């Protein structure tokens, strides 16, 4: 293949020279024929607004620009017009989809790819020209006019909109000329470049949300191979106007690696994916056709981008935003949201959709590791009751706020893979969250929640790649046209690793934060080898969507803001825990589920309960060795522990306790004891405090407490007792057991 490419390079270099000569001759002929008319036409093409540019009666100037674009593109695709260097982390080899390069120093940012694909040139061109189908950041592409050119080619004027990747920067748009033509050797070329002038643009309502970017000569050179298939050269060369974004984000807009990952490599991978599907090499789950599953992935990504950008022309508007809020609340009151693949089956909502979103900077956190953690340990950051609310809202059944029927979630999730891309850079899966009804009449009915989810960017060696976890509630029957309201996380690296050849962190890091309860004490390997230092910043963007009824908009907005803040707090702690900068095995004073400290505390809780109350908290055969923590964790009563400080805060809870408080183990230390009791409960606790400290325990009467989501929880009885350290003369904390609790 290398020899073939070298021969092709030499041949095309000669052809470029010939095209340049022919182009000069054509210009002379045009100037001689009608100098004044042609000059005025060419000038209007690059300076006048859209009404002149759309005029298909003025092809001469456009054709001249098209030929210039072709020559410049070919000089980049196969020549040295750009100083190309090998893409870091993308060494060519037998398993590589192609050869990739990025610009070393040039105006703007540029990337190039070359690969062998088992499809015919015309099919490849058709796929790549449909940019929204493979470029996830492309919101829309509109062809304003098209006219024929020589060799059976076409010249088109396009208006393209590109999503912003975060809430911190405006989106981009392009006004371009695209030229499709055939070369004498049978190769097919699709090249494109920006036109000057205002050209087409968004409507007035959305104009402030876009910045006009520039596409320098770019495109695709597709050469047919003997025996079938094609060799494809791809060049993307952009000026993304980095001046228009905050300084901290500029590396994202000045990085050729980012352009390579998002556009150039993505295009070649998509073509290879289609080729494998066409040949029948790809087998997906649940008996679904590859095109159907690919559409699901595209809809999840597009819906998430729509939520982040919140375009006015889609019906989004900011809600009570004064610029000081850390979480942005946007609302879309459109009654008929196009959330399905078939507009005829769009979801009709009685109120609309509300989106809570935020962006923040992370320091020294590998995006791939963080996304893998969020995917595998959902219970550490998610509130399953909120998932249940969103899932129920997308069904025909009536709303109830903030949940539906009393349900207890086990905290466990089952990941069912549906498919993946050829290099496993993106996974499509269904997540089942197990739930059990707390109402006797519904005891045998399933309360499981199903989420459709894509996870991408989990390869730590993919330099410049963005990592995402995007999910949406879906009906358990999984219909092809299921409505989707995606939420999720996007983490984009802003700087490169310190040294492209530096060893990366181990991809199978075990985190003490959520080590399995079944395997006993955990060890923290988050710090890893001190030589593996990940010196980078990244920007994390979070967006969660919530359907609402019109009369509950303010309530849902309050819940959404609190929930996203809780998620941010959880993610920050997880990020600190997995940072290789040596911040310790756990974040702050919080105990992790499988740590030696948690195991020790479990022994102290049970021993102190027996010592003070005179009864066994766990069966005698359940307190030996490591099993005490497992059995305490799965105890049916909600067990909480709080510190003995002037303002007691929670430091531990079993699974039932987390369910009752509607929180996660990571966010537990943000909850003070006084916040979970109502006024009468606080008074009763104060009255019994002296008794607890004197005799070691006290029975608390039936009462009401409050979850972190503001829901009332009733309990038949509570027991409070002192937890003594091993020496039995030091009070470590206070423990509470809430018996027969349920949501009111």
């Amino acid at each position: 293949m290398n020899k073939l490419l070298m021969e092709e390079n030499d041949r095309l270099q000669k052809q470029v020279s010939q095209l340049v000569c022919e182009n000069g001759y054509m210009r002379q002929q045009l100037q001689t024929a009608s100098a004044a008319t042609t000059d005025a036409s060419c000038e209007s093409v690059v300076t006048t607004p859209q009404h002149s540019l759309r005029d298909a009666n003025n092809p001469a100037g456009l054709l001249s620009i098209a030929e210039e674009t072709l020559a410049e593109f070919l000089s980049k695709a196969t020549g040295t017009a750009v100083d190309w260097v090998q893409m870091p982390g993308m060494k060519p080899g037998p398993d590589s989809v192609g050869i990739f390069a990025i610009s070393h120093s040039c105006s703007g940012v540029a990337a190039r790819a070359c690969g062998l694909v088992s499809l015919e040139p015309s099919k490849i061109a058709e796929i790549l020209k449909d940019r929204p189908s493979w470029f996830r950041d492309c919101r829309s592409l509109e062809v304003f006019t098209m006219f024929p050119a020589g060799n059976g080619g076409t010249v088109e004027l396009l208006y393209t909109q590109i999503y912003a990747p975060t809430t911190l920067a405006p989106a981009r748009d392009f006004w371009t000329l695209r030229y499709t033509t055939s070369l004498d050797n049978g190769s097919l070329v699709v090249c494109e470049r920006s036109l000057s002038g205002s050209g087409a643009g968004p409507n007035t309502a959305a104009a402030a949300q876009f910045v006009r970017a520039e596409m320098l000569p770019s495109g695709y050179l597709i050469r047919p191979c003997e025996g079938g298939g094609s060799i494809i050269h791809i060049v993307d060369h952009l000026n993304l106007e980095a001046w228009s974004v905050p300084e901290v984000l500029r590396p994202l807009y000045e990085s050729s690696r980012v352009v390579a990952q998002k556009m150039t490599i993505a295009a070649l991978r998509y073509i290879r994916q289609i080729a494998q599907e066409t040949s029948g090499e790809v087998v997906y789950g649940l008996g679904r056709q590859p095109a159907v599953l690919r559409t699901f992935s595209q809809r999840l990504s597009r819906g998430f981008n729509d939520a982040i950008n919140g375009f006015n022309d889609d019906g989004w508007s900011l809600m009570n935003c004064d610029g000081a809020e850390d979480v942005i609340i946007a609302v879309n009151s459109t009654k008929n949201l196009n959330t399905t693949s078939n507009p005829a089956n769009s979801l009709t909502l009685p109120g609309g959709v509300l989106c809570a979103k935020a962006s923040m900077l992370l320091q020294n956190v590998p995006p791939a590791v963080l996304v893998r953690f969020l995917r595998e340990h959902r219970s550490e950051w998610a509130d399953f009751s909120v998932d249940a609310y969103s899932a129920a809202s997308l069904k025909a059944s009536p709303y109830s706020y903030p949940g539906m029927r009393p349900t207890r979630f086990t905290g466990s999730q089952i990941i069912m893979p549906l498919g993946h891309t050829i290099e496993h850079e993106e996974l499509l899966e269904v997540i089942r969250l197990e739930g059990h009804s707390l109402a006797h009449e519904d005891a045998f009915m399933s309360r499981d929640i199903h989420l459709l989810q894509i996870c991408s960017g989990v390869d730590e060696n993919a330099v410049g790649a963005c990592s995402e976890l995007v999910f949406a509630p879906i009906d358990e029957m999984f219909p092809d046209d299921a409505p989707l309201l995606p939420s999720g996380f996007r983490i984009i690296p802003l700087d490169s690793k310190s040294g492209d050849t530096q060893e990366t962190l181990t991809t199978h890091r075990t985190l003490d934060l959520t080590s399995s309860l079944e395997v006993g004490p955990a060890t923290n390997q988050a710090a890893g080898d001190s030589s593996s230092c990940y010196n980078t910043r990244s920007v994390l963007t979070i967006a969660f969507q919530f359907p609402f009824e019109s009369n509950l908009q303010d309530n849902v907005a309050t819940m959404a803001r609190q929930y996203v803040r809780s998620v941010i707090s959880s993610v920050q702690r997880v990020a600190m825990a997995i940072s290789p900068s040596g911040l310790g095995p756990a974040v702050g004073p919080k105990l992790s589920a499988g740590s030696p400290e948690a195991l020790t505390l479990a022994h102290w809780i049970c021993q102190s309960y027996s010592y003070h109350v005179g009864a066994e908290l766990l069966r005698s055969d359940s307190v030996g060795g490591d099993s005490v923590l497992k059995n305490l964790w799965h105890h049916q009563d909600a067990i909480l522990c709080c510190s003995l400080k002037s303002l007691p805060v929670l430091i531990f809870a079993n699974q039932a306790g987390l369910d009752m408080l509607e929180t996660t183990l990571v966010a537990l230390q943000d909850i003070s004891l006084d916040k979970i009791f109502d006024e009468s409960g606080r008074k009763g606790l104060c009255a019994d405090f002296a008794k607890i400290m004197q005799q070691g325990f006290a029975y608390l009467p039936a009462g009401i407490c409050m979850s972190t989501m503001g829901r009332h929880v009733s309990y038949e009885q509570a027991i409070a007792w002192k937890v003594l350290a091993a020496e039995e003369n030091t009070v470590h904390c206070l423990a509470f057991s809430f018996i027969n609790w349920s949501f009111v």
Side-chain angles (χ1 to χ4, degrees):
M1 184 176 178
N2 214 22
K3 182 180 179 181
L4 182 65
L5 291 175
M6 291 175 65
E7 293 174 354
E8 177 70 1
N9 184 46
D10 292 339
R11 190 186 60 76
L12 288 174
Q13 286 278 41
K14 295 177 182 178
Q15 187 172 1
V16 168
S17 300
Q18 182 180 355
L19 285 170
V20 171
C21 294
E22 292 177 357
N23 182 54
Y25 175 77
M26 183 181 295
R27 273 192 163 183
Q28 287 182 352
Q29 294 299 315
L30 287 170
Q31 290 173 352
T32 302
S34 55
T37 303
T38 304
D39 288 344
S41 300
C42 292
E43 183 66 18
S44 69
V45 168
V46 295
T47 60
T48 57
Q50 64 187 62
H51 65 272
S52 297
L53 293 175
R54 294 185 197 174
D55 187 2
N57 296 321
N58 183 22
L62 293 176
L63 185 58
S64 175
I65 292 177
E67 293 293 344
E68 285 182 8
T69 304
L70 173 63
E72 291 186 45
F73 160 67
L74 291 175
S75 68
K76 296 175 185 178
T78 60
T80 57
V82 172
D83 185 9
W84 300 109
V85 296
Q86 181 177 293
M87 174 79 175
M90 300 292 290
K91 296 180 180 179
D95 297 328
S96 174
V97 297
I99 303 170
F100 305 101
I102 57 175
S103 59
H104 177 58
S105 58
C106 71
S107 174
V109 289
R112 182 172 74 171
C114 177
L116 186 64
V117 181
S118 58
L119 290 175
E120 296 303 311
S122 58
K123 179 63 175 177
I124 295 174
E126 176 188 348
I127 295 171
L128 291 176
K129 289 174 74 171
D130 184 17
R131 190 175 286 135
S133 69
W134 59 265
F135 182 26
R136 293 290 176 84
D137 285 356
C138 184
R139 184 194 185 207
S140 63
L141 186 151
E142 184 176 359
V143 179
F144 270 84
T145 191
M146 178 177 67
F147 61 87
N151 295 329
T154 58
V155 174
E156 301 164 288
L157 299 184
L158 311 180
Y159 175 63
T160 307
Q161 292 182 345
I162 305 298
Y163 289 109
T166 77
T167 62
L168 303 175
R172 297 294 188 266
D173 62 358
F174 296 87
W175 173 240
T176 59
L177 176 147
R178 184 168 69 187
Y179 182 33
T180 304
T181 188
S182 297
L183 303 181
D184 292 339
N185 65 352
S187 296
L188 187 60
V189 176
V190 181
C191 55
E192 187 174 353
R193 72 173 300 166
S194 284
L195 297 174
S196 301
S198 58
N203 59 45
T204 306
Q209 296 178 287
F210 290 92
V211 169
R212 178 61 52 89
E214 180 185 8
M215 179 182 293
L216 289 83
S218 306
Y220 319 107
L221 170 63
I222 312 165
R223 177 196 172 195
C225 296
E226 293 183 8
S230 308
I231 292 178
I232 177 172
H233 299 257
I234 302 175
V235 172
D236 292 303
H237 193 176
L238 308 173
N239 179 357
L240 295 173
E241 306 295 344
W243 59 267
S244 64
V245 303
E247 186 173 354
V248 70
L249 288 183
R250 288 181 188 173
L252 178 61
Y253 290 79
E254 296 171 339
S255 171
S256 294
R257 299 173 182 180
V258 172
V259 171
Q261 289 285 359
K262 284 195 169 188
M263 295 185 67
T264 320
I265 299 174
L268 190 53
R269 281 174 171 164
Y270 187 80
I271 292 293
R272 291 285 297 269
Q273 183 82 22
I274 297 296
Q276 287 196 3
E277 291 175 2
T278 303
S279 65
E281 297 178 37
V282 181
V283 179
Y284 285 111
L286 300 184
R288 298 305 172 106
Q289 292 296 319
V292 174
L293 298 181
R294 193 166 59 247
T295 299
F296 272 126
S297 298
Q298 292 166 348
R299 288 174 53 207
L300 282 172
S301 182
R302 183 177 183 84
F304 185 57
N305 277 320
D306 283 333
I308 290 175
N309 285 261
F311 292 116
N312 296 334
D313 55 1
D314 281 341
W316 289 99
S317 61
L318 297 182
M319 180 178 176
N320 300 329
C321 181
D322 58 6
E325 287 286 351
D326 55 338
V327 177
I328 301 171
I329 302 294
V331 63
N332 191 330
S333 298
T334 304
K335 303 293 184 182
N336 194 25
L337 292 179
N338 186 16
T339 56
T340 73
S341 56
N342 181 1
N345 295 329
S346 295
L347 176 66
T348 300
L349 298 171
V353 174
L354 185 144
C355 179
K357 52 190 175 181
S359 293
M360 58 201 255
L361 291 175
L362 299 176
Q363 189 76 27
N364 298 335
V365 178
V369 177
L370 180 54
V371 161
R372 274 206 312 273
F373 182 95
L374 296 175
R375 170 180 175 262
E376 295 168 5
H377 304 286
R378 188 180 184 88
S379 62
E380 285 296 320
W381 57 267
D383 186 322
F384 292 168
S385 295
V386 174
D387 291 326
Y389 165 75
S390 298
S393 300
L394 294 179
K395 296 181 180 180
S397 58
Y399 288 68
S400 61
Y401 171 80
M404 297 67 53
R405 302 192 177 189
T407 304
R408 175 180 294 177
F409 293 98
T410 64
S412 64
Q413 64 174 9
I414 298 175
I415 299 178
M416 298 175 285
L418 289 177
H420 55 78
T421 49
I422 55 175
E423 292 189 316
H424 292 256
E425 71 276 359
E426 180 177 280
L427 309 174
L428 177 66
E429 51 204 10
V430 170
I431 310 299
R432 190 176 81 204
L433 309 177
E434 295 183 331
H436 303 288
S437 175
L438 297 179
H440 295 296
E441 63 272 17
D442 295 333
F444 298 102
M445 294 183 64
S446 172
R447 286 286 176 263
D448 293 348
I449 300 170
H450 294 82
L451 304 173
L452 185 66
Q453 178 172 280
I454 53 172
C455 180
S456 61
V458 295
D459 180 7
E460 291 178 67
N461 295 318
V463 179
C466 128
S467 301
E468 288 185 344
L469 184 71
V470 180
F471 49 88
I474 192 169
D475 187 88
E476 61 185 1
M477 299 306 293
F478 195 45
D480 292 351
D481 60 348
L484 299 177
L485 280 181
S487 302
F489 307 86
R490 172 179 291 153
I491 311 168
I492 310 173
L494 295 176
D495 303 321
S496 65
K497 298 178 183 179
S498 54
D500 292 331
T501 59
Q502 186 181 42
E503 289 297 321
T504 58
L505 299 169
T506 174
T507 60
H508 300 290
R509 180 177 297 122
T510 301
L511 301 176
D512 180 56
L513 189 65
T514 56
S515 297
S516 171
L517 294 170
E518 282 72 15
V519 298
T523 57
N524 183 359
Q525 301 171 8
D529 187 349
S530 60
S531 65
S532 297
C533 182
Y534 191 96
N535 296 318
T536 188
R537 293 176 300 172
S538 54
V539 58
L540 165 66
T541 298
I542 300 175
F544 282 77
Q545 297 193 77
F546 304 90
F548 66 86
E549 285 185 322
S550 298
N551 61 326
L552 293 176
Q553 176 175 319
D554 291 339
N555 291 341
V556 175
T558 300
M559 179 270 288
R561 181 178 284 110
Q562 292 176 348
Y563 181 57
V564 169
R565 284 175 177 164
S566 171
V567 171
I568 289 173
S569 177
S570 301
V571 172
Q572 284 176 325
R573 289 194 182 87
V574 170
M576 290 176 64
I578 67 178
S579 171
S581 56
L583 295 178
V587 184
K590 181 188 65 63
L591 290 171
S592 55
S595 65
E597 293 85 355
L599 179 61
T600 300
L601 179 59
H603 280 287
W604 290 351
I605 291 171
C606 295
Q607 292 168 359
S608 299
Y609 186 91
S610 301
Y611 178 79
H612 293 303
V613 184
E616 298 294 334
L617 183 62
L618 301 175
R619 299 194 314 270
S620 58
D621 60 350
S622 302
V623 295
D626 298 343
S627 63
V628 62
L629 177 56
K630 177 181 177 181
N631 288 284
L632 184 68
W633 181 259
H634 294 294
H635 197 282
Q636 63 181 356
D637 297 332
I639 298 173
L640 311 175
C641 293
C642 72
S643 61
L644 283 172
K645 298 180 179 179
S646 57
L647 182 62
V649 295
L650 300 181
I651 61 172
F652 179 80
N654 67 350
Q655 184 62 62
L658 297 178
D659 292 344
M660 183 184 78
L661 295 179
E662 297 188 288
T663 188
T664 66
L665 198 60
V666 179
L668 195 66
Q669 72 171 21
D670 284 340
I671 306 172
S672 58
L673 186 64
D674 64 300
K675 289 182 180 179
I676 69 173
F677 288 101
D678 61 7
E679 186 63 28
S680 61
R682 284 192 290 268
K683 289 180 179 179
L685 181 60
C686 290
D688 288 330
F689 185 76
K691 181 179 179 181
I692 297 171
M693 300 307 294
Q694 183 177 1
Q695 73 176 31
F697 78 102
Y699 289 100
L700 306 179
I704 299 291
C705 62
M706 192 82 67
S707 79
T708 58
M709 304 305 294
R711 287 209 282 177
H712 291 89
V713 182
S714 66
Y715 54 91
E716 292 184 4
Q717 188 183 52
I719 305 174
W721 69 97
K722 291 189 299 185
V723 176
L724 303 177
E727 298 80 11
E728 295 190 1
N729 57 6
T730 303
V731 180
H732 180 72
C733 62
L734 286 183
F736 297 83
S737 177
F738 294 86
I739 302 169
N740 291 336
W741 63 272
S742 63
F743 290 109
V744 178

